[in-house]
Every structure is written in C-alpha cells, then in structure tokens.
Amino acid sequence: MAKKNVKFMLTAFRDGFQSVVGARVLSKDFLPCVEEAYDAGIRWFEAGGGARFQSCYFYCQEDAFDVMDAFRKAAPEADLQTLSRGVNVVGLESQSSDMIKLHADMFKKHGMSSIRNFDALNDVNNLKWSGQCIHDAGLNHEVTVTMMGLPPGIDNQGTHTPEFYRDRLKLIMDAGIPFDRVCFKDASGTATPATVYNTMKLARQLLGNDIHIQFHSHETAGNGVACYVAALQGGADGIDLSMAPMSGGTCQPDIITMWHCLDGDPDFGFDFDINKVKKAEDSFKNAMKKYFLPPEAMNVNPQIVWSPMPGGALTANTQMLRDNNMMDKYDDMIAEMYDCVRLGGFGTSVTPVSQFYAQQAIQNVMFGKFKKFAPGYAKMVLGYFGKTPVPPDPEIVKKASEFMASSDLNKAYSEPTTKTVLEMNDADPKKGGAVAKKMLEDAGLPVTDENIFIAASCLEKGILFLKDPSKAPMGCRFAEEEKPAAAKGGAVTVTINGKAYGVEIKGDKAVVNGKEVAFKAEAGLKAAPAAAAAPAGGEEIKAPVPGTILRVTATNGQRVSKGDEILVMDVMKMETPVTATCDGTVTITVNATDKVATGDTLAVIG
C-alpha cells in the first residue's frame, strides 16, 4: 500500500490564539507570519470565526472583516477556513435565520472559502439551516460531530461512544444537509485514542472512501498526538496542527512534533519542506514574544479529564478571571465543572456549552452549588439551545426553571421547551436583522450588511466599537505588563475607597485599569469637586462579583421599584443584571465600561 500523504490545516492563527491567549492578538503582529507560512508551502489555514470574531471587537480594537480581508491578501491561493457554531454562528447567543444566512454571505464576501460548522449538543436541527446557508453561499461546508470524554465515574448512558458519534453522523446524512468534508472535533482533548480510532473506522464505513474526514483535538490532557495517530490509522484523511508558541499545552499538537512522530512511518507522512516550516515557526515565535503566554496554557493537565474544559474556553476564561482579579477562583471553578457536566445533559464541552459549564461553575463557586444559575446554563438545561444528548437532571431542571421565573428579565425562558432554536429565534422580537438595524440607526451608524451582523453578534460591545474603535476595550495582554511594577518604572496601584486602580503614566496619557485617558498634572493641591451626594440613609447596591459595567439602564433621580433593572454587568462573557433591592430614588455611582470588584457600590437607593 502506498504511503498516505496526511493533509493538515494550520490552526495557529485562530484556534492557536484562542487556546493560548484567549483570541487576543493584533493582526499587524501575525499577518507577516501568515505570509511566511504560505511561502513555506502551507495552503490550508484556519483564518477566523469562533472566538476570533467577537474578540476583535471586544479586545483588539479591530474589525474582524478587515482582518479576514488582510488574511486573504497574505495567503491568496489558500483554503481559508473559519469556525461556526451552528445556530450560534460566532457568538454565545443563538441567532435567527436571516443572521445565520448573513453570516455565510459575509464570510464568503470577505475572502473565506470553507466553514467548519458544529453544534455542541450534536442536535442535527441546529445544523440544517446553517449548513444549507454555507453551501448556498458557495463555501465548502465541513460538517462536524463534536466529541469529548465524559469525566471518570459518570455513566455515559449511551453517549460519547464511537457508536454514538456514528449515529450523529448518520442523522446528519439522513437530514440531507449538504457537506463537502466531515470533521470530528474534540475541543477538550479528552477522548481516548481507542474511542478516536473506532469512531474513524465507523465513520469511514458509513461515508465510503471519497469523503474527506478531518480530526481535531487538543493536547490539553496529554494524549493529542496519540489520538492523531489513532485517527489516521482508523481512516481519517487529515488533522489540525499548530505552530509554537501557540501549540501543545491547551492547543493542537505542533506541526513539527507531528512530523517527527510520523518520520519513518511506513503508512503516513507529510509533503512539505520541514526546514521551511521550521523557519516559519521561528518567525512566529519571535513575533509572539510581546504577548503574555498564560502558564496554564503552556502545559498539559492530565486531570482535565475530570473537568473537560476546552483549550479555547480555558484560556478565554482565565484571561477574564485575570481581568476581574479572580484568578484565585480558577481551581475551584475547574473542580465545579464536574457536576455541571454530570447534571447538565452531557452536551459536548465546546463553545457555547463549555462556556455555559464554566459560567455555572463560577456561579457555584461564588454563591454555592446551584444556588444561582448562569442564564446560558439554565436555558440549555431547559431546552432553549436544542436537545441535549441525555435529559438533564430533573432537580437541576426544576431549580433552573424556578431561578429563571424569579426575574422578569428571564421569565420568558423559565419553562422547559421542545421547540427548535430557529423556530423560537425567528419568532423572537428581540432578534434578527431588523433589531440590529435599529441598533445602528439609534446609534447614528451606517446600516451595512457588515454592521448589521456585528450588531447582531456583538450587541452593545459591537456598537461601542463601531462608534469609535479607539474607545473600544484593549484587552490584549502583553508580556511587559505582567512584570512586577518595580521593573516597569512608573506603573503603580492606587487604592481609593477600597477600589484598586492600576495607573501608568505614558507622556501626556495615563493608562488606568488598561484604559488610556488624558490627564493634566499641576504643582500644588487644589480642591477637587465633591462627588454627587448619595441619598441620606440610602440602601447601597453592591457588585455581587467582579466585572465590567456593560450598560446603565436607570438614570439618576429615577424612581424605581424593587426588582427593576438598574444596570447590567459583563461577567465572564455573561450579562449579569443588577436590580433594585427596594423602592425609592436611585443614584448610580458607576459608568459603562467601569471595572468593579466584589462589594463595590454601584448605586444607592434612597
């Protein structure tokens, strides 16, 4: 038998970024490396989508569509592939039919040629319309079955086995969804080599010999390379590989590591010049020196099998924990993942379900086990993201329903449902192109297809970016910023009324908690204007957890009733409403984009 040439997609510039630095990298720093990898002969790149879409607006002060255009210029003849989450496309919230179609059309317009399309629940209803739109836009549709290993000690109830994955693929085929390739995606790297091998064998029997099968995994649990070999031996045609420093650890195995693994193998090998690849990787390593590489992303974690946190979600969450001074909660959050998976219906731990698991885990850490619910997790167990592989624990469903019913903001999602996601979203007056268009018009922004999609998928943060990209958050973490303050000369932490502010003077600008502001310093002391007085004897509303003020919905002097929303915090990508605790007149003491710590006063009601 002739030696099989292993096809591979280079993930360094999308999943690599997501899995190591929470997708926070500036295009000016990596696009020259794309060109060098292209010059080395690489012709298949992951170029966007997934968390790299929202992160451009949330953290990088860049337009994701502009980045995709520039990627196409850097790799003119390559297959540029992006990642889509079925009905969620590139966000945590699911979308209506028109936005799913617009996603495919816009990605095609901006130079992409393929889209990998998956659903974390493996609900075929979430792949039908999204897959059809990808196909109709003239893109290659790589339909996906998501995989993971269930934590030890949990009865699989017939799920997450080779036969289960085969049956998911058969449902896709029976549904008539058009596709060009099939991918099996293990985002947490927790499936075993035996499961991978047998899954590939069963898939190959079902598909025949002509359909390309791709396998995707992470090195997180330490068996990524072993699973890749098992996938090839089982019948896969291709695998996903990355480049250092965005490889290994929580990311895909390194291209050089895999080349070394197959060097001399009688059955499999690569068709590229390893010295050119090494040169491209050396350039990439040099370009990424300016970024802070989280230690938890650079090592394997054998114990992740008990709490299957995907690489992409792990570092996105640790970056947010750092942003909110909550890294001390990391180990507890990971431990809580076990019960979130065990009781939540066995959805695959990949975005958005992985984020729901993480958000619920942090709720359990902060408030006690299932005392409060992350809205995404509650909606998932109640059926609002589709059908979970097994029914969630009845007691969790009951508690989630009661929690959602306790708030006017969530009552519409308090009863379990069996409706399809698209059926609900298309009937939802708060979703769709018309809603996004009104957001743009209200903000005085141009109404273009691109802006409509940005508004629909990024909401207020997208509008903030479109108004003025320079005032959007800059969330990239650079290596220099992680050095001790004494080594930087001029950066200090100032604590006022119990609230810490990181301040660094840079010429005529000051960087305060990561946000650049203008300032003026004069010799001598002058009295500062007094802050607006809070109502005498008022009741203080304090931040329940650290986060960022996303929007203020009440105005100073407004009469409010107990339970009325007064502002919304952004906590770990989760909108957390803060409501009035009593009747009275409210005075808001924070502004949108302010970072707050647990216990900070947000408002006073008198």
Side-chain angles (χ1 to χ4, degrees), residues 550-596:
L550 181 60
R551 60 182 178 270
V552 177
T553 49
T555 57
N556 284 332
Q558 178 181 333
R559 289 287 301 177
V560 296
S561 300
K562 182 179 180 180
D564 287 350
E565 180 187 291
I566 58 175
L567 57 85
V568 178
M569 294 175 59
D570 180 23
V571 182
M572 302 288 287
K573 280 190 181 179
M574 176 174 58
E575 289 195 11
T576 302
V578 175
T579 58
T581 55
C582 62
D583 299 344
T585 301
V586 66
T587 298
I588 306 293
T589 59
V590 292
N591 297 304
T593 74
D594 284 355
K595 290 181 182 291
V596 296

Side-chain angles (χ1 to χ4, degrees), residues 294-296 314 317-332:
E296 66 274 10
L314 190 151
N317 284 311
T318 57
Q319 293 284 45
M320 286 184 280
L321 289 170
R322 286 187 174 89
D323 288 346
N324 293 301
N325 298 315
M326 293 172 64
M327 267 303 283
D328 61 310
K329 308 296 184 187
Y330 171 69
D331 288 339
D332 292 337

